[in-house]
Amino acid sequence: MSSLYIKNRLALIDYTSKYFDNFEELLNSDEFHFFMDSFLKDLKKKHHDLYDWVLDGKSLAEAIDSLTIKAKLLFALDVEDIRSIRKEETPRYLALVESAYHYWRNLHRFSVTFSHHQEGVLLSSFLSYDRRYNDLIIGFYRTIQEKLQCSKNSVYRQLQAGTNGSLLLCYNVLGFKGEYSKLNGIPVIQKVLLRSPIIIHLKHNKRIGTFEETNDNPIKQDLDLYNFFCYPCMVGDSYTLVFFHKDYTASAIGLANLFEFADFSKINRKPDCIVLFGVDDQKDETVFYYDEENDIQIGKISRQPIIEYFGYFKKMMLTLHNLNSIKRGRIPIHGAMINMHLKDGRKKGVVLMGDSGAGKSETIDALSKLSEEIEYQEIIFDDMGAMYQNDKGEIVAVGTETGAFVRLDDLDSASSYKDLDRSIFFNPESPKNARVITPVSSYDAIMKENKVDIFLYANNYTDIMGLNIMDDVEAFKATCKEGIRYAMGTTGEIGISKTYYANPFGPMQKQEESDKIIDELYSHFNENKLKYGELYTHLSLPNKDEGLTTAAKRLLELIEND
C-alpha cells in the first residue's frame, strides 16, 4: 500500500510508509504530486476555465511541476517580495488554492499506522502522529493563502484539515489454523481515533435484497485478501471479526460508533462470526454459511458499488448474530427496547417490534418529550435484540449494539443533532434515508437481562390512533409472525409488505426453528402479566406527527398507570 491512496472519495494516508514533518518534505514528495494530479483531473470536470488557465498549453505533469515551484517560492519569499508578482493573477491562484483545499477536505480521509507487535506503537504516539498531520495540512493551506493575499486572515476556522479519523493496525495477531489460516496475514485494527462529527457522502444510501444461505463455505474460495483490514467487535455476545476491503473504510468507520470494540487481549480466541466484506469474486452475493465443525457463522458480501452503504455491514453482522441466538433458543427482535425509570422508583421495560420504517425509534424520541414523571430512559437496543425466558421464568431481553443507526428524515432537528459532536453522519443532505450513528449505551447495559413489561408491535400503516392492548396471545402472535408494514423505500421496498416476524435478518431464513421458540415463549406471556398489543405510529401516513404524538401519549399513560 502506497503512502497516499485516493479512490473515488476515499483517501488513505499511510503514516508507516511515509510521514511528513514540514512543508518542504510535503512539497518535494511524490504524494503531493499524486494529490495534485487527482485534484486537477477533478477540477477539469468541475471548473474547466480554471483548469485551462492552470495548464496553459502545458502537460498535466508540467503544470504540476510549475505549481509546485510557485508554492516553494511562496514559502521562501516574504510578503514584500510577493507584492511584486503579477497581482492580476492573484485572484486565480487564490481560487485554485481554495479549490484544492475544498477537494481535499471533501475526501473521506483516514490515516493508517501499521505495527508488527501489539505494543509496537504507543497510544500517545499514535494520537500525536495524527494531531501533527492535521496541524501540518492546515498550516500549509493558511501559509499559502495568506501570502497570496498579502495579509493575515481575520477569521480562523479550526477545521479537521488532516484526517477524519485514524486507525492503528497490528500484523500477526490472528492464530487461525487450517483453511482459516489465510486470514492470519490481515492486519487487525487495534485502536480507532475519530475526529467527530464525521460526515460521509456515498453514492448509495439504501440496502436492497436479502441475505441467503449457501452450502459452500466462503472461506474455502480462492480469496484475494491483500487489501483487507480486520475490525474485531462484539455484536451482542457474539465475538465477530469483520474483514473488509480498504475501499470501504469510509463506511466501516461507522462500526466504531455502533458495536463494542473487542478486547484486543482476547483476539486469538475463536470467533463466533466472520464477515468477509467487499470480496472481489466477480459475483453479486450476500450470503451466509454455518461451519458446524468449527461452530462459526460466516457471511460474505461480494464487491459491488452499492454495498458501500453502511447497512450492508450492520445487517450482515446482525444476521449472523441472530442465527447464533436462534441456535441458543432466543428469538431475535427487530425493534427497540427502553427501560423507563419513573420518578416514583419504578422501572418498566418496553419493547417495540417492527421492520425498518415502522416508527420504533421515532416513538422513543417522542416519549422523551412528554412526561415529567419519567426520571430518565435507558436504551437497551435501537434496532436488534433478543427475547427469551430466563432461569427465573421471567421474559427478558438483551441488546446487540452500543450505538444507534437512525434515520434523520423522521427525527426532529433537536434529536438529530443532540450528540452532534460524537456522531457519524451518512448522506445528511439526502431527502430519503439520511442516517446518523451515535453511541447511546454501554456494553454492560445492553448485555444484562432486562425484564420485559410491555411488548408492542409497531404498526405504521393503520389509521387507528393510539394503541390497542390485547388479551388474546394467539392473535398477537399471529400479528407478529405476519410482520406487516408499509415499506418506506429505505431497503428497496415500497408499499405494504410482509416479512416473517418483521425480521429478515435470521428469523426469516430460519422460520421452522423460530416458530418453535416463539410458540414456547409466547405461551408464558400471560403468566408473566406481560402487556402486549399494537402501537399505531402512523409513520407512513400524512398525519404522522399527530399519530406519533398520540401513540407516545397512550404508551406513556400505560407505563405510568401499570
Side-chain angles (χ1 to χ4, degrees):
M1 177 175 165
S2 64
S3 174
L4 177 62
Y5 176 83
I6 298 177
K7 187 170 184 179
N8 298 323
R9 291 190 66 166
L10 173 68
L12 293 179
I13 306 102
D14 182 1
Y15 291 162
T16 313
S17 176
K18 187 179 292 185
Y19 188 81
F20 305 108
D21 283 312
N22 54 62
F23 301 153
E24 183 179 4
E25 289 181 1
L26 181 61
L27 275 171
N28 287 325
S29 69
D30 293 336
E31 284 74 11
F32 181 75
H33 191 285
F34 176 70
F35 164 74
M36 290 299 296
D37 180 86
S38 179
F39 157 62
L40 289 174
K41 287 175 180 175
D42 184 76
L43 186 70
K44 183 179 182 180
K45 294 181 285 187
K46 297 178 179 177
H47 199 328
H48 204 281
D49 289 348
L50 190 58
Y51 174 83
D52 288 342
W53 173 78
V54 171
L55 262 67
D56 191 26
K58 298 185 285 292
S59 69
L60 189 59
E62 290 171 339
I64 294 172
D65 288 341
S66 176
L67 288 172
T68 302
I69 291 172
K70 287 182 172 65
K72 290 178 180 179
L73 285 173
L74 286 173
F75 282 112
L77 298 175
D78 59 32
V79 171
E80 291 304 317
D81 295 325
I82 294 170
R83 290 184 192 278
S84 63
I85 300 177
R86 299 180 66 181
K87 290 183 64 176
E88 68 275 9
E89 291 193 334
T90 297
R92 280 184 168 176
Y93 277 119
L94 281 169
L96 185 67
V97 169
E98 290 298 330
S99 295
Y101 190 50
H102 178 78
Y103 172 74
W104 172 252
R105 288 189 295 104
N106 277 271
L107 294 172
H108 305 133
R109 296 160 281 117
F110 300 97
S111 68
V112 291
T113 305
F114 296 93
S115 172
H116 286 272
H117 306 281
Q118 284 183 237
E119 294 80 22
V121 178
L122 295 175
L123 179 60
S124 58
S125 299
F126 162 66
L127 297 175
S128 67
Y129 284 164
D130 207 71
R131 182 173 60 252
R132 284 158 46 204
Y133 186 80
N134 183 75
D135 293 341
L136 177 74
I137 299 302
I138 201 167
F140 184 88
Y141 158 72
R142 282 180 181 161
T143 300
I144 289 183
Q145 179 213 35
E146 291 182 339
K147 285 202 171 184
L148 279 171
Q149 67 189 19
C150 295
S151 64
K152 295 290 185 181
N153 292 322
S154 297
V155 177
Y156 291 92
R157 298 176 178 86
Q158 286 298 103
L159 304 176
Q160 304 295 356
T163 68
N164 302 118
S166 188
L167 304 175
L168 175 61
L169 300 104
C170 191
Y171 282 107
N172 304 321
V173 293
L174 297 174
F176 285 111
K177 305 294 183 182
E179 59 198 7
Y180 287 83
S181 62
K182 67 178 67 175
L183 303 174
N184 290 342
I186 298 175
V188 179
I189 297 171
Q190 183 180 1
K191 300 290 181 184
V192 179
L193 165 67
L194 299 178
R195 293 187 175 277
S196 56
I198 298 174
I199 300 177
I200 305 293
H201 303 277
L202 303 174
K203 290 183 179 179
H204 302 90
N205 71 328
K206 68 180 179 180
R207 181 187 51 79
I208 61 174
T210 58
F211 302 133
E212 300 179 354
E213 190 167 14
T214 179
N215 294 321
D216 301 317
N217 188 343
I219 295 294
K220 293 184 177 181
Q221 296 180 8
D222 183 18
L223 302 174
D224 178 9
L225 303 175
Y226 176 71
N227 287 309
F228 276 63
F229 300 150
C230 174
Y231 188 91
C233 63
M234 301 301 299
V235 183
D237 56 2
S238 296
Y239 173 44
T240 302
L241 296 178
V242 183
F243 298 91
F244 63 93
H245 192 282
K246 67 181 183 182
D247 286 354
Y248 299 100
T249 300
S251 290
I253 207 74
L255 298 174
N257 261 14
L258 195 62
F259 295 105
E260 178 78 358
F261 196 85
D263 185 346
F264 209 77
S265 65
K266 301 177 182 177
I267 198 72
N268 278 316
R269 74 180 177 95
K270 180 190 75 67
D272 300 300
C273 306
I274 289 175
V275 177
L276 303 172
F277 192 95
V279 178
D280 193 4
D281 55 5
Q282 307 304 310
K283 298 179 181 179
D284 185 11
E285 293 183 338
T286 51
V287 298
F288 62 88
Y289 173 86
Y290 176 56
D291 180 352
E292 187 172 5
E293 180 181 355
N294 293 291
D295 189 26
I296 302 176
Q297 301 282 358
I298 303 166
K300 187 200 75 172
I301 298 181
S302 301
R303 183 184 180 91
Q304 293 289 337
I306 195 171
I307 71 166
E308 67 176 358
Y309 173 56
F310 181 78
Y312 283 92
F313 271 108
K314 171 185 167 74
K315 295 304 188 183
M316 177 58 84
M317 296 165 70
L318 291 176
T319 297
L320 300 184
H321 168 68
N322 287 348
L323 293 170
N324 273 343
S325 294
I326 292 170
K327 288 177 65 65
R328 298 169 57 192
R330 300 179 176 187
I331 188 64
I333 300 294
H334 193 190
M337 180 178 186
I338 50 173
N339 280 332
M340 305 294 292
H341 294 261
L342 306 181
K343 290 184 177 179
D344 61 10
R346 292 180 297 152
K347 181 182 76 171
K348 295 296 179 181
V350 181
V351 173
L352 304 177
M353 171 181 163
D355 208 342
S356 179
K360 309 174 294 289
S361 300
E362 294 78 10
T363 302
I364 291 175
D365 179 62
L367 271 175
S368 66
K369 303 180 179 67
L370 289 177
S371 178
E372 296 181 356
E373 299 303 317
I374 297 174
E375 185 75 28
Y376 68 96
Q377 57 184 27
E378 177 187 22
I379 298 176
I380 305 305
F381 56 89
D382 187 68
D383 182 44
M384 200 72 68
M387 277 177 58
Y388 57 97
Q389 187 177 30
N390 66 11
D391 294 339
K392 299 177 182 178
E394 300 171 322
I395 306 298
V396 296
V398 293
T400 56
E401 303 144 285
T402 54
F405 181 50
V406 186
R407 285 187 311 278
L408 290 177
D409 320 24
D410 299 312
L411 295 178
D412 65 73
S413 58
S415 299
S416 303
Y417 296 98
K418 64 182 179 182
D419 288 313
L420 172 69
D421 57 336
R422 300 198 302 162
S423 298
I424 300 174
F425 293 85
F426 288 89
N427 296 70
E429 75 287 352
S430 175
K432 271 292 183 181
N433 209 34
R435 295 271 183 162
V436 60
I437 309 178
T438 302
V440 293
S441 299
S442 70
Y443 185 68
D444 289 341
I446 69 167
M447 290 311 301
K448 69 181 180 183
E449 292 184 340
N450 297 275
K451 187 174 182 296
V452 179
D453 299 294
I454 300 170
F455 183 26
L456 301 174
Y457 185 87
N459 178 325
N460 74 342
Y461 59 91
T462 300
D463 61 3
I464 301 173
M465 301 292 280
L467 58 80
N468 174 34
I469 295 300
M470 304 167 69
D471 55 14
D472 185 345
V473 74
E474 291 299 319
F476 178 64
K477 180 167 63 176
T479 296
C480 293
K481 285 187 178 181
E482 195 171 24
I484 299 178
R485 60 141 180 177
Y486 186 92
M488 308 288 285
T490 60
T491 61
E493 299 175 285
I494 297 178
I496 294 292
S497 67
K498 296 182 180 180
T499 304
Y500 173 80
Y501 207 63
N503 197 339
F505 312 106
M508 185 181 74
Q509 292 85 349
K510 299 292 180 181
Q511 293 186 29
E512 184 177 347
E513 296 89 334
S514 297
D515 268 338
K516 295 177 182 177
I517 301 171
I518 293 168
D519 290 345
E520 171 63 21
L521 182 66
Y522 281 48
S523 70
H524 299 286
F525 276 11
N526 289 334
E527 67 188 62
N528 275 271
K529 298 182 180 180
L530 189 152
K531 287 185 168 57
Y532 50 86
E534 284 191 275
L535 183 76
Y536 304 107
T537 68
H538 286 234
L539 204 66
S540 70
L541 302 177
N543 64 338
K544 68 176 183 179
D545 292 337
E546 179 188 3
L548 269 174
T549 301
T550 302
K553 286 180 178 178
R554 298 296 173 266
L555 176 53
L556 189 59
E557 291 172 2
L558 178 65
I559 293 169
E560 292 177 347
N561 298 326
D562 186 23

mmCIF file of all heavy atoms in Angstrom, residues 111-126:
data_model
loop_
_atom_site.group_PDB
_atom_site.id
_atom_site.type_symbol
_atom_site.label_atom_id
_atom_site.label_comp_id
_atom_site.label_asym_id
_atom_site.label_seq_id
_atom_site.Cartn_x
_atom_site.Cartn_y
_atom_site.Cartn_z
ATOM 1 N N SER A 111 -6.173 8.043 8.200
ATOM 2 C CA SER A 111 -4.778 7.622 8.270
ATOM 3 C C SER A 111 -4.706 6.212 8.839
ATOM 4 O O SER A 111 -5.574 5.787 9.605
ATOM 5 C CB SER A 111 -3.957 8.577 9.137
ATOM 6 O OG SER A 111 -4.350 8.479 10.495
ATOM 7 N N VAL A 112 -3.658 5.492 8.446
ATOM 8 C CA VAL A 112 -3.418 4.150 8.973
ATOM 9 C C VAL A 112 -1.968 4.050 9.420
ATOM 10 O O VAL A 112 -1.058 4.572 8.767
ATOM 11 C CB VAL A 112 -3.734 3.057 7.925
ATOM 12 C CG1 VAL A 112 -5.226 2.977 7.661
ATOM 13 C CG2 VAL A 112 -2.981 3.306 6.623
ATOM 14 N N THR A 113 -1.772 3.411 10.555
ATOM 15 C CA THR A 113 -0.428 3.163 11.079
ATOM 16 C C THR A 113 -0.320 1.676 11.372
ATOM 17 O O THR A 113 -1.181 1.110 12.061
ATOM 18 C CB THR A 113 -0.179 3.970 12.372
ATOM 19 O OG1 THR A 113 -0.416 5.357 12.116
ATOM 20 C CG2 THR A 113 1.247 3.774 12.855
ATOM 21 N N PHE A 114 0.727 1.037 10.854
ATOM 22 C CA PHE A 114 0.871 -0.408 10.994
ATOM 23 C C PHE A 114 1.976 -0.749 11.985
ATOM 24 O O PHE A 114 3.006 -0.082 12.059
ATOM 25 C CB PHE A 114 1.200 -1.057 9.641
ATOM 26 C CG PHE A 114 0.111 -0.913 8.614
ATOM 27 C CD1 PHE A 114 0.119 0.145 7.709
ATOM 28 C CD2 PHE A 114 -0.923 -1.829 8.545
ATOM 29 C CE1 PHE A 114 -0.880 0.290 6.766
ATOM 30 C CE2 PHE A 114 -1.935 -1.704 7.607
ATOM 31 C CZ PHE A 114 -1.913 -0.641 6.714
ATOM 32 N N SER A 115 1.735 -1.817 12.750
ATOM 33 C CA SER A 115 2.732 -2.316 13.677
ATOM 34 C C SER A 115 2.755 -3.834 13.594
ATOM 35 O O SER A 115 1.745 -4.470 13.290
ATOM 36 C CB SER A 115 2.404 -1.879 15.109
ATOM 37 O OG SER A 115 3.258 -2.517 16.033
ATOM 38 N N HIS A 116 3.928 -4.432 13.855
ATOM 39 C CA HIS A 116 4.036 -5.889 13.859
ATOM 40 C C HIS A 116 3.958 -6.460 15.264
ATOM 41 O O HIS A 116 4.075 -7.663 15.464
ATOM 42 C CB HIS A 116 5.342 -6.325 13.191
ATOM 43 C CG HIS A 116 5.315 -6.174 11.698
ATOM 44 N ND1 HIS A 116 4.847 -7.163 10.866
ATOM 45 C CD2 HIS A 116 5.644 -5.136 10.899
ATOM 46 C CE1 HIS A 116 4.926 -6.748 9.607
ATOM 47 N NE2 HIS A 116 5.398 -5.522 9.611
ATOM 48 N N HIS A 117 3.751 -5.569 16.245
ATOM 49 C CA HIS A 117 3.610 -6.010 17.631
ATOM 50 C C HIS A 117 2.510 -5.187 18.277
ATOM 51 O O HIS A 117 2.347 -4.007 17.982
ATOM 52 C CB HIS A 117 4.920 -5.828 18.408
ATOM 53 C CG HIS A 117 6.092 -6.490 17.759
ATOM 54 N ND1 HIS A 117 6.339 -7.840 17.840
ATOM 55 C CD2 HIS A 117 7.071 -5.973 16.986
ATOM 56 C CE1 HIS A 117 7.434 -8.137 17.153
ATOM 57 N NE2 HIS A 117 7.903 -7.015 16.637
ATOM 58 N N GLN A 118 1.767 -5.797 19.188
ATOM 59 C CA GLN A 118 0.687 -5.089 19.844
ATOM 60 C C GLN A 118 1.188 -3.865 20.601
ATOM 61 O O GLN A 118 0.508 -2.848 20.686
ATOM 62 C CB GLN A 118 -0.053 -6.027 20.801
ATOM 63 C CG GLN A 118 -0.978 -7.002 20.087
ATOM 64 C CD GLN A 118 -1.749 -7.865 21.046
ATOM 65 O OE1 GLN A 118 -1.684 -9.061 21.002
ATOM 66 N NE2 GLN A 118 -2.493 -7.250 21.940
ATOM 67 N N GLU A 119 2.386 -3.935 21.141
ATOM 68 C CA GLU A 119 2.932 -2.796 21.879
ATOM 69 C C GLU A 119 3.893 -1.986 21.009
ATOM 70 O O GLU A 119 4.634 -1.156 21.494
ATOM 71 C CB GLU A 119 3.678 -3.291 23.129
ATOM 72 C CG GLU A 119 2.787 -3.940 24.170
ATOM 73 C CD GLU A 119 2.440 -5.387 23.834
ATOM 74 O OE1 GLU A 119 3.192 -6.010 23.063
ATOM 75 O OE2 GLU A 119 1.415 -5.875 24.314
ATOM 76 N N GLY A 120 3.890 -2.261 19.695
ATOM 77 C CA GLY A 120 4.866 -1.641 18.805
ATOM 78 C C GLY A 120 4.725 -0.134 18.694
ATOM 79 O O GLY A 120 5.695 0.579 18.519
ATOM 80 N N VAL A 121 3.505 0.364 18.765
ATOM 81 C CA VAL A 121 3.279 1.804 18.674
ATOM 82 C C VAL A 121 2.474 2.235 19.897
ATOM 83 O O VAL A 121 1.355 1.771 20.098
ATOM 84 C CB VAL A 121 2.508 2.174 17.391
ATOM 85 C CG1 VAL A 121 2.245 3.670 17.347
ATOM 86 C CG2 VAL A 121 3.288 1.743 16.158
ATOM 87 N N LEU A 122 3.060 3.070 20.722
ATOM 88 C CA LEU A 122 2.365 3.545 21.905
ATOM 89 C C LEU A 122 1.164 4.390 21.505
ATOM 90 O O LEU A 122 1.179 5.087 20.484
ATOM 91 C CB LEU A 122 3.308 4.378 22.782
ATOM 92 C CG LEU A 122 4.494 3.633 23.402
ATOM 93 C CD1 LEU A 122 5.383 4.616 24.139
ATOM 94 C CD2 LEU A 122 4.007 2.531 24.339
ATOM 95 N N LEU A 123 0.110 4.315 22.305
ATOM 96 C CA LEU A 123 -1.103 5.066 22.005
ATOM 97 C C LEU A 123 -0.820 6.558 21.894
ATOM 98 O O LEU A 123 -1.344 7.236 21.010
ATOM 99 C CB LEU A 123 -2.155 4.803 23.083
ATOM 100 C CG LEU A 123 -3.487 5.541 22.919
ATOM 101 C CD1 LEU A 123 -4.155 5.159 21.615
ATOM 102 C CD2 LEU A 123 -4.413 5.241 24.101
ATOM 103 N N SER A 124 0.024 7.086 22.764
ATOM 104 C CA SER A 124 0.321 8.522 22.721
ATOM 105 C C SER A 124 0.964 8.911 21.398
ATOM 106 O O SER A 124 0.676 9.971 20.841
ATOM 107 C CB SER A 124 1.237 8.898 23.890
ATOM 108 O OG SER A 124 2.441 8.153 23.839
ATOM 109 N N SER A 125 1.842 8.037 20.872
ATOM 110 C CA SER A 125 2.484 8.314 19.582
ATOM 111 C C SER A 125 1.462 8.261 18.457
ATOM 112 O O SER A 125 1.466 9.096 17.549
ATOM 113 C CB SER A 125 3.600 7.305 19.324
ATOM 114 O OG SER A 125 4.599 7.393 20.317
ATOM 115 N N PHE A 126 0.590 7.273 18.507
ATOM 116 C CA PHE A 126 -0.459 7.116 17.505
ATOM 117 C C PHE A 126 -1.315 8.373 17.431
ATOM 118 O O PHE A 126 -1.632 8.877 16.350
ATOM 119 C CB PHE A 126 -1.288 5.881 17.863
ATOM 120 C CG PHE A 126 -2.634 5.795 17.204
ATOM 121 C CD1 PHE A 126 -2.748 5.630 15.841
ATOM 122 C CD2 PHE A 126 -3.790 5.843 17.981
ATOM 123 C CE1 PHE A 126 -3.998 5.517 15.245
ATOM 124 C CE2 PHE A 126 -5.030 5.733 17.394
ATOM 125 C CZ PHE A 126 -5.138 5.571 16.018
#
